Amino acid sequence: MAQAVRALWPGGLALTWRLGGRPALGLPAQSRAGLTGAAGGPGPAATTRKGGPRLLGAAALALGGALGLYHTARWHLRAQNLRADRSAAQLSVSSRLQLTLYQYKTCPFCSKVRAFLDFHALPYQVVEVNPVRRAEIRFSSYRKVPILLAQEGDSLQQLNDSSVIISALKTYLVSGQPLEDIITYYPPMKAVNDQGKEVTEFCNKYWLMLDEKEAQRMYGGKEARTEEMTWRQWADDWLVHLISPNVYRTPTEALASFDYIVKEGNFGTVEGAMAKYVGAAAMYLISKRLKSRHHLQDDVREDLYEAANKWVAAVGKDRPFMGGQKPNLADLAVYGVLRVMEGLEAFDDLMRHTHIQPWYLRVEKAIAEAPE
């Protein structure tokens, strides 16, 4: 049971002014000032004395208003066209790709993939895997989650490993290469980990397979690309390993965590009861070994706080996301990992004792506002 459950955790000119909800684009400042002057301008006698200039001023005002209306309408239509083009592109991808995600809902690696799919508005079906029997992935020789099945026409591709899934799909969205070709760029290989256990690793999994023009359009420079890759790997190699020791830190927290896991997961009645109590006890003990293995502090919260503040410092104060004005793959990865703790004491402590909450809420909003 302990082995099965461990995998669960490894942001008229009144019409012109209001159109589109913004000030009239292209309306000269002089025209706006002229509008204010006309409203409180000179009386009838002055109008009689300045008939010619008054008419010219009115004509200029009307012309300025018409230009403002024209530019506002053009901006409004352009914005609609951009949204339509983006929706059409997403519809095209959606019609070509049918995605099925095999997951444990509380697994941070699975949460990473969902954050990516949701932000990019890619529709997908979810199959919640029973962590004990894992019958839902019996078709696969690769026995970990997440697994993504991608149907493109007559071609059915299986993508394994969260970072490979994200890199392959992002490459597909940017380059338009066939998915069956893209996945060959991420070959699996066998390796032996620090515990002497044979594991499957994937080459190039943080690298997007783009040509020079595509990479320049997406990143703007090599530094941004390297930064994204570095922090994606940090999320996998370090941040993920802080989750279990923190959510199972005390017997009370371990029990609360497994209560959440059982409610969200695919357990039978008996399995759920056993997982909640036996699993909580087992993972409380295992978390102590994890703390030693990863050389964590006596109070593992401090490691979590340091990691969160290190991430916030890397994002900096001059940009809302590491990706600039929108989340990049590193933003989505870090968000996805941390999201699995929502509702638990560790998450509340993280929001209260670090500087990460404003960034976290911006990513949450960006994903929620993704076009459907």
Side-chain angles (χ1 to χ4, degrees):
M1 175 62 72
Q3 182 179 5
V5 297
R6 192 180 310 139
L8 298 179
W9 297 95
L13 299 179
L15 174 63
T16 306
W17 194 257
R18 297 179 185 278
L19 185 60
R22 297 194 179 194
L25 299 182
L27 182 61
Q30 298 94 320
S31 297
R32 292 198 293 271
L35 177 60
T36 304
T47 303
T48 303
R49 289 195 303 271
K50 300 181 181 179
R54 178 69 174 178
L55 288 173
L56 288 174
L61 181 62
L63 178 60
L67 285 172
L69 180 60
Y70 165 73
H71 284 293
T72 302
R74 192 172 79 166
W75 169 84
H76 188 66
L77 290 172
R78 183 167 178 254
Q80 285 184 325
N81 288 337
L82 286 173
R83 286 194 295 269
D85 289 344
R86 183 170 63 177
S87 297
Q90 288 165 342
L91 181 61
S92 176
V93 170
S94 301
S95 63
R96 295 200 307 269
L97 274 186
Q98 296 179 10
L99 304 176
T100 304
L101 176 64
Y102 293 81
Q103 67 157 22
Y104 304 142
K105 186 174 180 179
T106 56
C107 162
F109 296 106
C110 300
S111 180
K112 277 171 49 187
V113 174
R114 293 198 312 274
F116 171 86
L117 295 174
D118 292 340
F119 177 72
H120 291 86
L122 294 175
Y124 58 99
Q125 293 182 327
V126 169
V127 176
E128 192 68 23
V129 176
N130 181 292
V132 178
R133 296 188 302 271
R134 291 187 287 181
E136 295 81 5
I137 56 172
R138 193 171 290 155
F139 63 87
S140 173
S141 58
Y142 182 82
R143 301 299 290 168
K144 297 180 180 181
V145 292
I147 293 173
L148 187 75
L149 294 187
Q151 181 84 41
E152 184 181 23
D154 295 331
S155 175
L156 178 64
Q157 304 298 326
Q158 177 175 328
L159 288 78
N160 306 320
D161 185 273
S162 61
S163 292
V164 171
I165 292 170
I166 291 168
S167 293
L169 286 180
K170 188 64 176 182
T171 298
Y172 176 83
L173 293 174
V174 175
S175 71
Q177 301 173 58
L179 194 58
E180 63 180 322
D181 292 343
I182 293 172
I183 62 175
T184 64
Y185 304 144
Y186 304 98
M189 64 178 185
K190 299 294 183 180
V192 177
N193 64 16
D194 295 338
Q195 289 74 49
K197 181 180 178 181
E198 186 177 80
V199 295
T200 301
E201 296 290 349
F202 294 85
C203 300
N204 313 314
K205 65 181 181 179
Y206 302 108
W207 189 265
L208 303 192
M209 302 302 171
L210 308 175
D211 63 29
E212 189 174 342
K213 289 182 179 180
E214 291 164 347
Q216 181 66 26
R217 187 170 68 248
M218 179 171 174
Y219 293 108
K222 293 181 179 178
E223 294 81 6
R225 188 176 197 172
T226 301
E227 180 182 53
E228 180 186 76
M229 292 171 62
T230 298
W231 287 95
R232 288 180 65 193
Q233 184 170 358
W234 174 84
D236 285 354
D237 291 350
W238 179 245
L239 188 61
V240 161
H241 298 297
L242 301 179
I243 304 300
S244 289
N246 274 278
V247 299
Y248 303 125
R249 185 180 62 153
T250 66
T252 300
E253 287 183 88
L255 192 60
S257 296
F258 263 89
D259 184 56
Y260 170 67
I261 289 171
V262 170
K263 287 178 180 177
E264 298 292 339
N266 178 14
F267 290 90
T269 304
V270 176
E271 290 172 341
M274 293 212 34
K276 182 176 178 178
Y277 295 102
V278 178
M283 286 310 298
Y284 169 70
L285 297 174
I286 290 172
S287 69
K288 304 308 175 185
R289 294 211 306 266
L290 292 174
K291 183 172 77 171
S292 175
R293 178 188 303 173
H294 298 293
H295 308 289
L296 304 182
Q297 300 177 52
D298 289 337
D299 184 357
V300 293
R301 281 288 198 276
E302 295 301 321
D303 294 286
L304 185 62
Y305 298 160
E306 287 179 10
N309 286 329
K310 182 178 181 179
W311 166 255
V312 172
V315 174
K317 298 179 180 180
D318 298 329
R319 51 184 180 175
F321 308 102
M322 181 166 281
Q325 295 306 307
K326 62 181 181 180
N328 66 7
L329 300 184
D331 288 291
L332 296 173
V334 173
Y335 172 84
V337 170
L338 296 178
R339 181 173 59 177
V340 298
M341 297 189 297
E342 284 190 11
L344 300 175
E345 183 179 336
F347 183 83
D348 295 338
D349 287 346
L350 178 67
M351 295 295 113
R352 186 163 47 245
H353 296 293
T354 72
H355 304 296
I356 203 168
Q357 186 174 38
W359 168 86
Y360 187 90
L361 294 177
R362 286 195 295 269
V363 179
E364 185 176 64
K365 182 179 179 182
I367 292 174
E369 291 179 349
E372 296 181 359

